[in-house]
Amino acid sequence: MKLDLLTTLRQQNPVVFNIANFVTVQDVANGLNAVGASPIMSAEVAEADQMIAIAGAVCLNLGTLTTTQVNQMQIVGRLANERQLPIVFDPVAVGAVPYRLQVAQDLLATIQMTVIRGNAGEIAALAGVDWQAKGIDAGNGSGDVVAIAKACAQKYHCVIVLSGPTDVITDGTQVAKVHNGTELFQLHVGSGDLLSSIVAAFTAVQSDAPFDAAQTACLVLAGTGELVAKQFTAPRPGTFAADLIDKLHLVTVSELTEVADYED
Ligand SMILES: Nc1ncnc2c1ncn2[C@@H]1O[C@H](COP(=O)(O)OP(=O)(O)O)[C@@H](O)[C@H]1O
Ligand SMILES: Cc1ncsc1CCOP(=O)(O)O
Ligand SMILES: [Mg+2]
């Protein structure tokens, strides 16, 4: 586990270019800023080339897709691949909405993603495994999440982050797990979107080792959330969201080292 990448991230302050959803866009921008990255959102295809030129990584989020936005993703994805810029893909709700699964599969057919980050329902759908996903959430499915994540990584030749109570990170061969977290993440819409964009930020500073970058991103977010939740005597999702942003800015490598609970 390369927790020192957090220090590198804060020194380099990489620009993360997000094609975001309209539900959680501000949480994602503030979360990225707080952890030490430099967020920029764009919905205009005409500036795609110039956005790619200034970005250290790209995050494509399917959350509130439109035909125009999917076309933008195709163009941004192609440009990022040409420039060998890391791309993180968040396939929001592909496990629950077949139209989205088709859109995701079309994108994956033409763009080489560096990392796909989704919950179990989303990664299972991409892997072609049955799972009872519910809307944007993982739902009540059950199965071997490590086997599902590995199958998905092998299918799309990229790193998979299958998030949940335990985050599973795999490149199809190596597997790491991050056990940290808090159930409060599930009460705050946008936790997964933020994780995807933080994964993108870490791939920007470790582009030759996305498996390492993704693991560190998972530990930074889940460990920080756990530190925040420890202060609470009752579940307060609104306060959690605000405190999470504060703590992402303040958290130290040594605090995270102390709380870290992972297998790699
Ligand atoms: N039950 C849980 N316990 C601890 N952490 C969780 C739990 N569920 C999700 N998380 C954390 O929440 C973050 C978002 O993951 P997830 O909820 O799977 O994404 P999404 O919001 O896309 O469904 C991750 O950092 C994950 O570790
Ligand atoms: C509610 C909602 N609807 C479309 S996108 C979205 C947010 C999804 O956020 P997350 O998957 O990070 O919880
Ligand atoms: Mg999600």
Side-chain angles (χ1 to χ4, degrees), residues 92-162:
V92 181
V94 294
V97 185
Y99 178 82
R100 286 175 179 233
L101 181 57
Q102 187 58 54
V103 168
Q105 286 167 340
D106 292 347
L107 287 166
L108 287 162
T110 53
I111 303 167
Q112 176 59 59
M113 304 298 177
T114 310
V115 181
I116 304 172
R117 198 298 310 170
N119 60 43
E122 293 158 349
I123 300 302
L126 292 180
V129 174
D130 274 344
W131 191 281
Q132 298 294 309
K134 182 176 181 188
I136 60 166
D137 294 322
N140 291 320
S142 62
D144 181 343
V145 287
V146 172
I148 290 168
K150 280 176 99 170
C152 199
Q154 287 162 9
K155 185 171 178 182
Y156 294 111
H157 309 289
C158 66
V159 171
I160 297 293
V161 175
L162 187 162

Side-chain angles (χ1 to χ4, degrees), residues 21-24 61-64 90 92-93 100 117 119 122 136-137 185 188-195:
N21 71 61
F22 59 64
V23 181
T24 65
N61 185 299
L62 223 53
T64 49
D90 187 329
V92 181
R100 286 175 179 233
R117 198 298 310 170
N119 60 43
E122 293 158 349
I136 60 166
D137 294 322
F185 276 122
H188 174 65
V189 173
S191 301
D193 299 335
L194 179 55
L195 176 57

